[in-house]
Amino acid sequence: MFDEIVMADERFHGEGYQEGYAEGSHVGVVEGRRYGLLHGAKIGSEIGCYLGFALTWQCLLQNCTDEKNSKKIKALDSLIGMIQKFPYEDPTYDKLQEDLEKIRGKFKQRHFSHIHFTITFSSSINFNSYVHVSSATF
């Protein structure tokens, strides 16, 4: 009888562990997906701002042929090229952060210092209304 009690305790402990592990795994996947979507939306917004900036100034400077502006146009072309090559759809790309830092650096380059602008990327931007995560099993 004592063995049955001990075995029941161990069985319930094992079943509880398995149920808790399965539930924790599911919740972790959902939470991780939600975090990834929000973080991705912030990066996408930042990259989109850089691309909009570059395309606008490329259009404004397209008729300027002096040497000073041609350097700026080359820098803009380079920035646009970097953005177009950015791996938006591959979150496993191992140099994602490195490439993002290169784009940020190119954007801050001195060729753009003549342009007076203020852009801030606030971490308080709320993308929650754009992200809907289902509670489906993954």
Side-chain angles (χ1 to χ4, degrees):
M1 172 108 166
F2 180 74
D3 288 340
E4 291 176 13
I5 294 172
V6 170
M7 295 301 288
D9 182 48
E10 287 181 18
R11 190 182 88 228
F12 290 136
H13 177 76
E15 288 174 6
Y17 175 82
Q18 291 298 326
E19 288 175 17
Y21 184 83
E23 178 66 21
S25 294
H26 173 72
V27 170
V29 166
V30 171
E31 184 178 328
R33 183 171 185 197
R34 181 168 179 77
Y35 175 80
L37 287 169
L38 290 172
H39 189 67
K42 289 176 184 178
I43 290 173
S45 178
E46 179 181 355
I47 296 288
C49 185
Y50 296 151
L51 182 60
F53 168 88
L55 292 173
T56 299
W57 280 101
Q58 184 184 46
C59 182
L60 292 171
L61 296 173
Q62 69 184 353
N63 294 326
C64 300
T65 57
D66 61 27
E67 184 181 338
K68 183 177 179 183
N69 285 322
S70 70
K71 287 182 181 181
K72 292 172 187 166
I73 292 170
K74 285 180 185 178
L76 287 167
D77 289 342
S78 175
L79 177 60
I80 291 167
M82 291 170 73
I83 291 170
Q84 289 173 337
K85 291 177 187 173
F86 191 76
Y88 300 103
E89 296 180 9
D90 185 8
T92 61
Y93 178 62
D94 59 341
K95 294 184 179 181
L96 187 112
Q97 286 300 101
E98 185 180 318
D99 287 355
L100 181 59
E101 288 302 319
K102 287 178 182 177
I103 290 170
R104 287 173 177 153
K106 178 62 83 172
F107 179 74
K108 294 175 184 177
Q109 197 174 43
R110 67 178 181 80
H111 293 293
F112 305 131
S113 64
H114 74 289
I115 301 169
H116 300 288
F117 59 93
T118 302
I119 298 175
T120 57
F121 293 101
S122 173
S123 60
S124 65
I125 296 174
N126 187 354
F127 288 99
N128 289 324
S129 61
Y130 299 105
V131 177
H132 298 284
V133 177
S134 69
S135 59
T137 305
F138 297 99

